[in-house]
Amino acid sequence: MATKEEKRIEILKAAARIFSANGFEKAKVEDIAKVAGIGKGTVYEYFDSKKSLFKQMISFGLDQYRLSIKEIIEENLHIRARLVELAKYSAKYFNQHIDMIQMATQCNLLSNEMKQWLIEERLAVFELIEQMIDEGIKKGELRQNLNVELASFVIIGSIGEHFTKRVFFDGLNIEEIDFGEMVDVILDGLV
Amino acid sequence: MATKEEKRIEILKAAARIFSANGFEKAKVEDIAKVAGIGKGTVYEYFDSKKSLFKQMISFGLDQYRLSIKEIIEENLHIRARLVELAKYSAKYFNQHIDMIQMATQCNLLSNEMKQWLIEERLAVFELIEQMIDEGIKKGELRQNLNVELASFVIIGSIGEHFTKRVFFDGLNIEEIDFGEMVDVILDGLV
Amino acid sequence: MATKEEKRIEILKAAARIFSANGFEKAKVEDIAKVAGIGKGTVYEYFDSKKSLFKQMISFGLDQYRLSIKEIIEENLHIRARLVELAKYSAKYFNQHIDMIQMATQCNLLSNEMKQWLIEERLAVFELIEQMIDEGIKKGELRQNLNVELASFVIIGSIGEHFTKRVFFDGLNIEEIDFGEMVDVILDGLV
Amino acid sequence: MATKEEKRIEILKAAARIFSANGFEKAKVEDIAKVAGIGKGTVYEYFDSKKSLFKQMISFGLDQYRLSIKEIIEENLHIRARLVELAKYSAKYFNQHIDMIQMATQCNLLSNEMKQWLIEERLAVFELIEQMIDEGIKKGELRQNLNVELASFVIIGSIGEHFTKRVFFDGLNIEEIDFGEMVDVILDGLV
DNA sequence: CATGAATGAGGGTTCATTCAT
DNA sequence: AATGAATGAACCCTCATTCAT
């Protein structure tokens, strides 16, 4: 049998699936329980409320994302390869956790304390990207006078927009997406 | 006295405010009515349902956005100035209509028919941006071998991300944001 | 232009149609107005409320029915022919005014005063039938020891049941119904 | 404690009471719940909707009625005694379930599928009566040339009309009603 | 007189949460 | 600890009625 912590994770994963598919409001606790293979009441043994479950799911998901991003960044690759890997993983991740994309907006449904925390979580991602850029500059892979923060916006925004268009608008599967060319445009600019 | 159409617009504006502030599910029709200064039942004289009101609000909002964007693009400016204007207006617009940002994600809460329509609406915005890029290439302001579609992702994504960070994370007012430098990074690339 | 009274009748007829088709609760005042070719508010110039309109429509309908029944009964026919005529007319009438059939039950939705009135209206119909039976006995067309009241139940009940079965269950048109044989069974009994 | 099925029956009985007293539209689910001694939401644990509850109540009621009628018919009594028993039980039953009387008319408020089903249910009652008549003919209690179907209309219609008049118009209690004489008129005819 | 836009009370239904088993 | 039956607050929507034009 599963330990208490394992079952908690199980519920978090189920929550991620249901919240992703339906959004916070339309997601039913009962469905999450069903996916987790437990009774509805049991969810409340592990989490105080639906909202609390949502928060912890986001937290859990972002931790996973940050850790993976960190690994990618820490691999000793050229900046271009790193960005491609980042885009690839992000796409895979976004695809499984649309709620992660929603969170930035849905957060206004949550408490201020939560909102603050969410901002911080997201900042942590930005920081990782900025680290990567910094390193790229130091290694001479990126230009010296680059504004690191602005560059991080271009990277994150472009990757997100690209993913959204390819998956939701063009109906592609993630494997079918060509990230290389996208990264080239980011790196080379439009001029 | 307000004409029928004026009152319809009034309700749409109220809807934009309430939906923006609360998201689709948490927004109460009664509150929208209250903001519009009318009775709850009156909303249903103008719109078939809450969902229909939401759709038309999005539609109304996107139309406004598209028209303004079109104007900006049609002004005979250098591509850099155009992008700055685009970013400025978008920021102002996003600030008033966070729901527009949510829409991309909230759409998965709505019917498939609605999803399809929303995609098409958004594609229209992409097309305008692509037109602008095309023109920039022809005028020699942008490089000849630029992939227009990918460039549009970089532009839209970067502008959005920049706005989100500055307003929600850094707590700046729109007037305080420097769009020029941002646009430079987009145009010049990171390398 | 129509006189006030003519328009009142027009509304009553429209009400009969809509109430018949939908029952009291599902009938919308607006639809009645539409059928009557007037505005919704105008209905309230002629009737105090939906309920009042319903009452007066029933009243109007029953008056018509009673008058027609009276005529049939006053024709100098043999009892058998009279009953066939009664059944024919009732069928035609019921067909147009299902609500008349409903009234006996729907009346419990109305005020007690209305209920009382309705009972009296219906009693008047019973009385006419009883008159006819009386006459039949005097003319020797019916047996001397017949309980007039019970006989009226058999007549009214059988005709109603026959109609219901033929129209609603068997799907026949009224013209296709053979009332003669039915009347024979009523007159001759089962033994 | 009540089993799930027992509670379902409890709700059905409560529904019968409330629907009978108020008709379908005016009956409030909350009142049904109150009578059943449960919360409003609980009703929806057992039935999908108010309409579904109504259908199942009718179904439940008709089943009970049919079963009892069947028993009466299967007792080895003379046709006269059988009819008296039938009238007695029907009166008792109608008294408790006015909705059963309403159903024939209320059905036009419901879906076509429901209407069809209701017709079939009622046909089953007709069939039982016809069986009884058939048997009566075979046993020589009823005349050989009797039209079985028409006879069933006379029986059902007369009994219903008699009941309605005695209870609603004359204000009698069921025990006070004399069914014997009524049956005699049905059997002997009016001539 | 006639209208129909505006209203808001009312009720069906959903679902997060509780709690007895 | 685990369950799921029970609950009732909350909210969308309908439509009889009103009243300004």
Side-chain angles (χ1 to χ4, degrees):
Chain A
M1 236 282 303
T3 71
K4 191 123 188 164
E5 181 56 16
E6 281 170 349
K7 197 172 271 187
R8 203 180 143 272
I9 303 286
E10 215 51 55
I11 298 174
L12 284 170
K13 283 182 184 167
R17 240 180 69 196
I18 298 294
F19 280 132
S20 294
N22 306 292
F24 180 75
E25 302 292 344
K26 293 197 109 176
K28 285 179 251 179
V29 173
E30 185 158 17
D31 288 343
I32 293 172
K34 216 171 283 167
V35 166
I38 58 173
K40 187 174 25 163
T42 310
V43 172
Y44 287 85
E45 295 289 326
Y46 291 83
F47 301 92
D48 283 343
S49 67
K50 184 187 179 184
K51 205 176 270 183
S52 163
L53 171 56
F54 181 72
K55 286 186 195 179
Q56 293 190 43
M57 175 212 66
I58 297 279
S59 188
F60 180 73
L62 278 176
D63 281 353
Q64 280 190 294
Y65 182 66
R66 256 215 336 270
L67 284 174
S68 299
I69 291 297
K70 209 170 148 69
E71 274 179 32
I72 288 170
I73 287 171
E74 281 166 355
E75 282 182 79
N76 193 13
L77 294 171
H78 186 272
I79 185 73
R80 189 183 177 284
R82 279 179 175 176
L83 286 177
V84 170
E85 285 307 306
L86 177 68
K88 263 189 197 166
Y89 179 75
S90 296
K92 204 167 70 182
Y93 194 80
F94 290 170
N95 209 37
Q96 278 164 19
H97 303 278
I98 307 182
D99 49 272
M100 293 297 121
I101 304 172
Q102 290 190 339
M103 107 208 139
T105 59
Q106 294 242 348
C107 73
N108 67 338
L109 307 183
L110 301 171
S111 68
N112 281 331
E113 164 243 341
M114 173 70 181
K115 219 180 290 192
Q116 193 49 44
W117 165 84
L118 210 50
I119 286 175
E120 279 159 22
E121 282 289 311
R122 223 179 127 149
L123 280 180
V125 173
F126 273 106
E127 260 167 44
L128 284 172
I129 305 288
E130 292 186 11
Q131 258 177 46
M132 185 178 64
I133 297 171
D134 257 340
E135 218 179 305
I137 294 174
K138 275 188 197 118
K139 284 160 77 178
E141 293 168 0
L142 298 176
R143 59 187 162 94
Q144 299 297 319
N145 64 339
L146 184 62
N147 180 319
V148 176
E149 194 192 17
L150 295 178
S152 74
F153 301 158
V154 174
I155 290 170
I156 293 174
S158 301
I159 285 176
E161 204 63 39
H162 183 229
F163 162 76
T164 304
K165 179 65 164 35
R166 287 290 177 263
V167 171
F168 294 121
F169 291 44
D170 301 341
L172 261 62
N173 286 322
I174 312 173
E175 304 81 32
E176 301 171 297
I177 306 177
D178 175 11
F179 297 102
E181 216 184 335
M182 174 80 253
V183 168
D184 286 337
V185 176
I186 293 174
L187 290 174
D188 299 336
L190 314 183
V191 184
Chain B
M1 223 276 310
T3 70
K4 195 122 194 181
E5 181 57 17
E6 280 169 351
K7 194 168 273 183
R8 204 179 141 269
I9 303 287
E10 214 53 54
I11 298 175
L12 284 170
K13 284 181 184 167
R17 242 178 73 194
I18 297 295
F19 280 133
S20 293
N22 305 290
F24 179 76
E25 304 290 346
K26 292 199 105 178
K28 281 180 260 178
V29 172
E30 189 159 14
D31 288 343
I32 292 172
K34 218 172 280 168
V35 167
I38 58 174
K40 182 175 30 160
T42 309
V43 173
Y44 289 89
E45 295 284 327
Y46 292 81
F47 302 93
D48 283 344
S49 66
K50 184 187 181 184
K51 205 176 271 183
S52 164
L53 172 56
F54 181 71
K55 285 186 196 180
Q56 292 189 42
M57 176 212 65
I58 297 278
S59 189
F60 180 72
L62 278 177
D63 281 353
Q64 281 190 295
Y65 181 65
R66 257 215 331 271
L67 284 174
S68 300
I69 292 296
K70 207 170 151 68
E71 273 179 33
I72 289 170
I73 287 170
E74 280 167 356
E75 282 182 79
N76 194 14
L77 296 169
H78 186 272
I79 186 74
R80 188 181 179 284
R82 277 179 176 176
L83 286 177
V84 170
E85 286 307 306
L86 177 68
K88 263 188 197 166
Y89 179 75
S90 297
K92 203 168 70 183
Y93 194 81
F94 289 169
N95 209 36
Q96 279 164 19
H97 302 278
I98 309 181
D99 48 272
M100 294 297 120
I101 304 170
Q102 289 190 339
M103 111 208 134
T105 58
Q106 292 245 349
C107 74
N108 69 335
L109 307 182
L110 300 172
S111 66
N112 280 331
E113 165 242 340
M114 171 70 181
K115 217 180 289 190
Q116 192 50 43
W117 166 82
L118 210 48
I119 286 174
E120 279 159 22
E121 284 289 311
R122 224 181 127 152
L123 280 180
V125 172
F126 273 106
E127 260 167 46
L128 285 173
I129 307 288
E130 293 187 10
Q131 258 175 44
M132 185 177 64
I133 297 172
D134 256 339
E135 220 179 304
I137 294 176
K138 278 189 196 116
K139 283 160 76 178
E141 293 169 0
L142 300 175
R143 60 184 159 97
Q144 299 297 317
N145 64 339
L146 183 63
N147 180 319
V148 175
E149 193 192 16
L150 296 177
S152 73
F153 301 158
V154 173
I155 290 170
I156 294 173
S158 302
I159 285 176
E161 205 62 39
H162 182 228
F163 162 76
T164 304
K165 179 64 163 35
R166 286 292 176 262
V167 171
F168 294 121
F169 291 44
D170 301 341
L172 261 62
N173 286 322
I174 312 174
E175 305 80 32
E176 301 170 298
I177 306 177
D178 174 11
F179 297 103
E181 216 185 334
M182 174 77 252
V183 168
D184 285 337
V185 177
I186 292 174
L187 290 174
D188 298 335
L190 315 183
V191 184
Chain C
M1 235 277 303
T3 70
K4 191 123 192 173
E5 180 58 16
E6 281 169 350
K7 198 172 269 185
R8 202 179 144 270
I9 303 288
E10 215 52 55
I11 298 174
L12 284 170
K13 283 181 185 168
R17 241 178 74 195
I18 297 295
F19 280 132
S20 293
N22 307 291
F24 180 76
E25 302 292 345
K26 294 197 109 178
K28 285 180 250 178
V29 172
E30 186 159 15
D31 289 343
I32 293 172
K34 216 173 282 167
V35 167
I38 57 173
K40 188 174 24 162
T42 309
V43 172
Y44 287 85
E45 295 287 328
Y46 291 83
F47 302 92
D48 284 345
S49 66
K50 184 188 181 184
K51 205 178 271 183
S52 163
L53 171 56
F54 181 72
K55 285 185 195 179
Q56 293 190 43
M57 175 213 66
I58 297 279
S59 188
F60 180 73
L62 278 176
D63 281 352
Q64 280 191 295
Y65 182 66
R66 253 214 336 270
L67 284 175
S68 300
I69 291 296
K70 207 169 150 68
E71 272 177 33
I72 288 169
I73 286 170
E74 280 167 354
E75 282 182 77
N76 193 15
L77 296 171
H78 186 270
I79 186 73
R80 189 182 178 283
R82 279 179 175 174
L83 287 177
V84 169
E85 286 308 305
L86 178 68
K88 263 187 196 164
Y89 179 75
S90 298
K92 203 167 72 184
Y93 194 80
F94 289 171
N95 209 38
Q96 279 165 18
H97 302 277
I98 308 182
D99 48 273
M100 293 297 118
I101 304 171
Q102 291 190 340
M103 109 209 134
T105 58
Q106 294 241 350
C107 73
N108 67 338
L109 306 183
L110 301 171
S111 67
N112 280 330
E113 164 243 341
M114 173 69 180
K115 215 182 289 190
Q116 192 51 44
W117 166 83
L118 210 48
I119 286 175
E120 279 159 22
E121 282 289 311
R122 222 179 129 150
L123 281 179
V125 173
F126 273 107
E127 258 166 48
L128 284 172
I129 307 287
E130 292 186 10
Q131 258 176 45
M132 185 177 63
I133 297 171
D134 258 338
E135 218 179 305
I137 294 175
K138 277 186 196 120
K139 283 160 76 178
E141 294 168 0
L142 300 176
R143 59 186 160 96
Q144 298 299 317
N145 63 339
L146 183 63
N147 180 321
V148 176
E149 194 192 16
L150 296 178
S152 73
F153 300 159
V154 173
I155 289 169
I156 294 173
S158 302
I159 285 176
E161 205 63 39
H162 183 228
F163 162 77
T164 304
K165 178 64 164 35
R166 286 292 176 263
V167 171
F168 294 121
F169 291 43
D170 301 340
L172 260 62
N173 286 322
I174 312 174
E175 304 81 32
E176 300 170 298
I177 305 177
D178 175 12
F179 297 103
E181 218 185 333
M182 175 78 252
V183 169
D184 286 337
V185 177
I186 293 174
L187 290 174
D188 299 335
L190 314 183
V191 183
Chain D
M1 223 280 304
T3 69
K4 195 125 193 178
E5 181 58 15
E6 281 168 349
K7 195 168 273 185
R8 204 180 142 270
I9 303 286
E10 214 53 54
I11 298 174
L12 284 170
K13 283 181 186 169
R17 241 178 72 195
I18 298 294
F19 280 133
S20 293
N22 305 290
F24 180 76
E25 305 289 345
K26 293 200 102 178
K28 283 181 259 178
V29 172
E30 187 159 17
D31 289 343
I32 293 172
K34 218 172 281 169
V35 167
I38 57 173
K40 183 169 40 155
T42 309
V43 172
Y44 288 87
E45 295 286 326
Y46 291 83
F47 301 92
D48 284 343
S49 66
K50 184 187 180 184
K51 205 177 271 185
S52 165
L53 171 56
F54 181 72
K55 285 187 196 179
Q56 292 190 42
M57 175 212 67
I58 297 278
S59 190
F60 180 71
L62 279 175
D63 282 352
Q64 280 190 295
Y65 182 67
R66 258 215 330 272
L67 284 174
S68 301
I69 292 296
K70 209 170 149 67
E71 273 178 32
I72 289 170
I73 286 170
E74 281 167 355
E75 282 182 78
N76 194 15
L77 295 170
H78 186 272
I79 186 73
R80 190 184 177 281
R82 278 178 175 175
L83 286 177
V84 169
E85 286 306 307
L86 178 68
K88 262 189 197 165
Y89 178 73
S90 297
K92 203 168 71 184
Y93 194 79
F94 290 169
N95 209 36
Q96 280 165 19
H97 302 279
I98 309 183
D99 48 272
M100 293 298 120
I101 303 171
Q102 290 191 339
M103 106 208 138
T105 59
Q106 292 246 349
C107 72
N108 70 335
L109 306 184
L110 300 171
S111 67
N112 281 330
E113 164 242 342
M114 171 69 180
K115 217 181 291 193
Q116 193 50 44
W117 166 83
L118 209 50
I119 285 175
E120 279 159 23
E121 283 289 310
R122 225 182 125 149
L123 281 179
V125 172
F126 273 105
E127 260 166 46
L128 285 172
I129 306 288
E130 292 186 11
Q131 258 176 44
M132 184 178 66
I133 298 171
D134 257 339
E135 219 179 303
I137 293 175
K138 277 186 197 118
K139 284 160 75 178
E141 294 169 2
L142 299 176
R143 60 185 160 97
Q144 297 299 317
N145 64 340
L146 184 62
N147 180 319
V148 175
E149 193 191 18
L150 296 178
S152 72
F153 300 158
V154 173
I155 290 170
I156 294 173
S158 302
I159 286 176
E161 205 62 39
H162 183 227
F163 162 77
T164 304
K165 180 61 164 36
R166 287 290 176 265
V167 171
F168 294 120
F169 292 44
D170 301 341
L172 260 62
N173 285 322
I174 312 173
E175 304 81 31
E176 300 171 297
I177 305 177
D178 174 10
F179 297 102
E181 217 185 334
M182 174 79 253
V183 168
D184 286 337
V185 176
I186 292 175
L187 290 174
D188 299 336
L190 313 183
V191 183

